[in-house]
Amino acid sequence: MSKITCECGHVNPEGTVLCEACGKPFEANQHLNNNKPEQLLNMRYDGSARRSQTYQRTFIDKTWNFFSSVKIGVSIIIVIVIASALGTIFPQEMYLPPGSDPSTHYKDQYGILGQIYYQLGFHNLYSSWWYLLLLAMLGISIVIASIDRFVPLYKTLRKQKPKRHPNFMKKQRIFGETDSGNIDYKKLKANLKSKRYNLYEEDGNILAEKNRFSRWGPYVNHIGLIIVLLGAMLRFVPAMYMDEFLWVREGETKQIVGTDGIYYMKNKDFILETYDMEDEGNSQFRESLQKQSAPVPENYQTNAVIYKRTDLPVVPGKEPELKKVKEAEARVNHPIPLENGISLYQASYQLNEFSSMTFKLHDKGDEESNYGEFTVDLIEPKDEYELENGTTVKLERYFPEFELEDGEPKQVSKFPRNPAFIFEVDAPGEEPEVSFAGIGVNIDASGNNDYKLGLTNFETRDVTGLTVKKDYTLPIIAVGAAIFMIGVIQGMYWNHRRIWIQPKGAGVWVAGHTNKNWFALKKDIDRTLEGTGIDFPVDQQEEKDAEERRKDDGIISD
């Protein structure tokens, strides 16, 4: 690309709107900043040459220009917001009741809308490839838009000189002329320094500048956002983030998911404590507690024993050799820490889950008769049960939790909360009989059975629900959020102010610019010029606006 050589001798890159050194407006490029000859200068990015407005030939140029557009960035954000909202219409799959089948749960619970929701893949929206692609596009847009603006702006501010072109001075919003007088430059400099301005001089021309660092606030914001996005996307990397659920029954020892088969946990005891309305210590909650239809938990915890496997490496199918590591309690907000950043959080529980059921075989019309009993382990049921009289009871189907739908049993979950069974009774010398048995239900499938299976006893136990969590992304997200807030403060509470003072014969010109808060800049200049013999400048934009208002009111004519 060709270069632009200014009359001051500085060589500017193609696309420059204002000379980097003296600020002379290049008329041929004013359209790039939407400048018109009769308007004041648009000082956006100080007139620096931006790649997106200069290079438009190759595919890389067009891709760069696409992602550097603020409109594109805002559009991506809007699409992400809409997509994120869609993900909250129905619960995501990770929040479904344990054991639920997503392919049927959404339709059963939410009807046709739930089925469409599932088929469109919205049940796992936040981990879908297209949602991650949107996040990646947003990150790319932020990076490219920041580089496209920050680099040329930084170079321009670094190269700026105190001596500015006359057209640059006259077209600043704050501008004033003093034709002649006894000007006290010594006091002027002292006043500027007292206002904490940094002074730069060249041939009697003065540039007073302060708070340049505030111009970098938006780009610090962008760095923080990029780090937050990176942390969010790293949550899909198993080594960085894990959030699994583990159900462990009382007395059961179970492998802890996400530990590569190294750690095991035994649920030694589960404890549930509820609020006592008669306790004086709970008097402030009494009214609220009385409104509840069920006891309100005050504390629930798992007394656990943590084991570590010693026979490493893990051989599939081999019974593990475990060594006790520690005993610990998992309570709400008080997890059990393990190695490698993994912790066990108390998250849920299930009281009085069935563990076994005992049935008796008797004559259909005589419950006092007894041909034998058998017990079904609801976690690991057997296929057949032999009774004392030689009768065989075969377990044809097992429903841990069932409901009847159109007269047919349907499994709701894999947890034994409302178990039911289809048994085949095979007595010696007789035709096999089929029965459907459960709690409160006993159906003779054919209506011609001679025998009946009756429930005589059952046992229950509590089940604890623990979240197995590892999160190395949280510090990354926290750092990103902190950097973002630094950028917000940096750009919000300070503003970049510049004052140019140039001798003109016996007089002097004064111009000023700020990226925001023009009233404060004008006030700064007026106080600085007090007692120096220099006339106060005017806000040309305010004068132009006032003139337009007078024209609208008919006070002056065109």
Side-chain angles (χ1 to χ4, degrees):
M1 302 296 288
S2 60
K3 303 290 184 178
I4 303 175
T5 302
C6 180
E7 62 186 46
C8 70
H10 182 75
V11 179
N12 299 274
E14 178 66 24
T16 301
V17 179
L18 304 174
C19 176
E20 295 175 334
C22 71
K24 177 189 175 182
F26 297 122
E27 298 302 331
N29 291 337
Q30 291 306 299
H31 67 281
L32 297 177
N33 263 10
N34 297 322
N35 279 335
K36 295 181 181 179
E38 69 277 5
Q39 291 180 335
L40 299 173
L41 284 180
N42 183 345
M43 294 284 287
R44 184 173 53 179
Y45 313 117
D46 266 47
S48 56
R50 290 164 50 201
R51 190 186 195 283
S52 60
Q53 294 181 328
T54 308
Y55 297 85
Q56 300 179 359
R57 296 180 178 177
T58 66
F59 173 76
I60 294 177
D61 294 337
K62 293 177 181 178
T63 303
W64 182 278
N65 298 346
F66 176 82
F67 282 108
S68 68
S69 170
V70 174
K71 292 181 180 179
I72 295 298
V74 172
S75 299
I76 294 173
I77 292 173
I78 291 173
V79 173
I80 289 175
V81 169
I82 294 173
S84 300
L86 289 174
T88 65
I89 294 176
F90 299 127
Q92 292 289 288
E93 182 180 344
M94 67 180 72
Y95 299 114
L96 297 184
S100 299
D101 183 1
S103 61
T104 58
H105 178 86
Y106 286 96
K107 182 180 179 181
D108 294 342
Q109 295 295 319
Y110 310 111
I112 186 65
L113 289 178
Q115 184 178 6
I116 295 173
Y117 193 83
Y118 173 78
Q119 290 177 341
L120 290 176
F122 290 168
H123 63 296
N124 276 323
L125 187 145
Y126 303 116
S127 59
S128 63
W129 67 267
W130 60 268
Y131 188 81
L132 294 178
L133 180 61
L134 284 174
L135 294 181
M137 289 177 64
L138 178 60
I140 293 170
S141 176
I142 291 173
V143 171
I144 292 180
S146 298
I147 295 174
D148 188 64
R149 290 157 175 80
F150 170 77
V151 174
L153 177 61
Y154 174 78
K155 290 180 178 179
T156 298
L157 291 178
R158 185 170 57 87
K159 293 177 181 178
Q160 66 179 336
K161 294 181 179 180
K163 187 176 181 179
R164 309 301 276 179
H165 193 275
N167 287 346
F168 177 89
M169 297 287 288
K170 289 179 180 180
K171 288 196 172 186
Q172 291 300 316
R173 176 169 171 172
I174 304 293
F175 177 72
E177 298 178 81
T178 302
D179 295 331
S180 62
N182 186 19
I183 299 173
D184 189 348
Y185 283 100
K186 185 176 181 180
K187 184 172 183 180
L188 173 62
K189 294 177 185 178
N191 290 345
L192 288 169
K193 289 180 179 179
S194 69
K195 292 288 184 182
R196 298 184 180 179
Y197 280 88
N198 298 313
L199 301 186
Y200 307 92
E201 295 187 56
E202 179 187 14
D203 301 330
N205 301 281
I206 299 173
L207 166 60
E209 180 184 28
K210 72 175 179 180
N211 300 336
R212 185 192 296 185
F213 70 91
S214 69
R215 295 291 289 272
W216 318 136
Y219 308 108
V220 175
N221 290 154
H222 292 172
I223 292 172
L225 283 174
I226 291 167
I227 294 174
V228 169
L229 282 174
L230 178 63
M233 296 186 73
L234 284 175
R235 288 191 163 218
F236 299 100
V237 178
M240 297 295 294
Y241 182 81
M242 178 179 64
D243 190 355
E244 302 287 349
F245 207 85
L246 180 68
W247 288 102
V248 187
R249 298 171 175 87
E250 280 184 324
E252 183 181 25
T253 300
K254 209 165 187 180
Q255 178 184 319
I256 300 175
V257 293
T259 63
D260 299 323
I262 297 176
Y263 283 96
Y264 287 72
M265 191 207 88
K266 179 180 180 181
N267 181 359
K268 187 177 179 181
D269 188 23
F270 178 77
I271 299 173
L272 173 65
E273 299 172 344
T274 59
Y275 283 99
D276 183 2
M277 289 190 292
E278 304 302 324
D279 189 346
E280 291 297 327
N282 297 327
S283 58
Q284 68 270 34
F285 308 124
R286 188 165 296 158
E287 184 177 348
S288 299
L289 293 172
Q290 289 174 343
K291 294 179 181 179
Q292 303 300 317
S293 58
V296 178
E298 182 178 14
N299 172 56
Y300 53 95
Q301 70 181 54
T302 302
N303 294 341
V305 182
I306 306 299
Y307 297 96
K308 187 173 183 179
R309 188 166 188 164
T310 57
D311 54 330
L312 299 177
V314 176
V315 178
K318 181 183 177 182
E319 194 70 22
E321 298 177 10
L322 303 179
K323 178 182 178 182
K324 180 178 176 181
V325 176
K326 62 179 177 180
E327 293 191 20
E329 300 174 354
R331 302 191 305 276
V332 177
N333 297 327
H334 293 82
I336 300 175
L338 302 177
E339 292 181 355
N340 302 322
I342 299 175
S343 296
L344 300 177
Y345 289 82
Q346 183 69 61
S348 185
Y349 59 89
Q350 174 71 43
L351 297 179
N352 302 322
E353 180 187 86
F354 293 102
S355 60
S356 65
M357 285 185 171
T358 301
F359 292 91
K360 179 182 76 170
L361 181 67
H362 60 83
D363 292 325
K364 186 175 181 179
D366 183 10
E367 294 188 4
E368 298 298 324
S369 59
N370 188 347
Y371 295 103
E373 295 185 356
F374 63 95
T375 299
V376 179
D377 184 338
L378 299 182
I379 306 304
E380 296 180 354
K382 298 179 181 179
D383 294 331
E384 292 185 0
Y385 298 89
E386 294 286 342
L387 303 185
E388 295 177 357
N389 68 342
T391 300
T392 301
V393 179
K394 298 179 180 179
L395 179 57
E396 296 293 331
R397 289 195 65 183
Y398 168 43
F399 304 90
E401 182 178 10
F402 88 102
E403 61 182 24
L404 290 175
E405 187 175 286
D406 299 328
E408 294 289 331
K410 176 184 175 183
Q411 182 167 314
V412 177
S413 78
K414 62 181 181 181
F415 301 102
R417 296 171 181 147
N418 183 26
F421 313 85
I422 296 179
F423 291 113
E424 180 183 284
V425 179
D426 191 1
E430 301 183 31
E431 290 291 324
E433 299 179 355
V434 177
S435 297
F436 179 76
I439 298 176
V441 59
N442 199 315
I443 300 174
D444 179 353
S446 64
N448 299 315
N449 288 349
D450 294 326
Y451 299 103
K452 185 175 182 180
L453 288 168
L455 179 65
T456 61
N457 192 19
F458 60 84
E459 294 182 357
T460 63
R461 56 185 171 183
D462 299 332
V463 186
T464 185
L466 301 168
T467 299
V468 185
K469 199 160 188 176
K470 174 176 67 176
D471 192 354
Y472 288 134
T473 68
L474 198 58
I476 298 174
I477 294 174
V479 169
I483 292 174
F484 177 84
M485 289 307 302
I486 290 171
V488 170
I489 296 170
Q490 183 177 342
M492 181 179 294
Y493 291 100
W494 288 275
N495 42 80
H496 184 208
R497 299 178 188 176
R498 284 175 289 176
I499 304 171
W500 293 275
I501 300 155
Q502 295 192 185
K504 293 293 180 180
V508 67
W509 285 7
V510 177
H513 179 266
T514 182
N515 60 328
K516 60 182 178 179
N517 199 347
W518 290 92
F519 176 79
L521 174 65
K522 181 67 167 58
K523 191 175 179 181
D524 249 10
I525 294 175
D526 290 349
R527 287 182 177 177
T528 299
L529 299 181
E530 287 179 356
T532 63
I534 302 176
D535 297 335
F536 294 157
V538 298
D539 188 327
Q540 298 190 92
Q541 187 62 51
E542 281 190 2
E543 288 192 342
K544 187 177 290 187
D545 293 342
E547 183 178 349
E548 291 294 331
R549 287 194 296 270
R550 289 195 295 271
K551 286 181 181 179
D552 294 340
D553 295 339
I555 299 175
I556 61 174
S557 61
D558 295 335

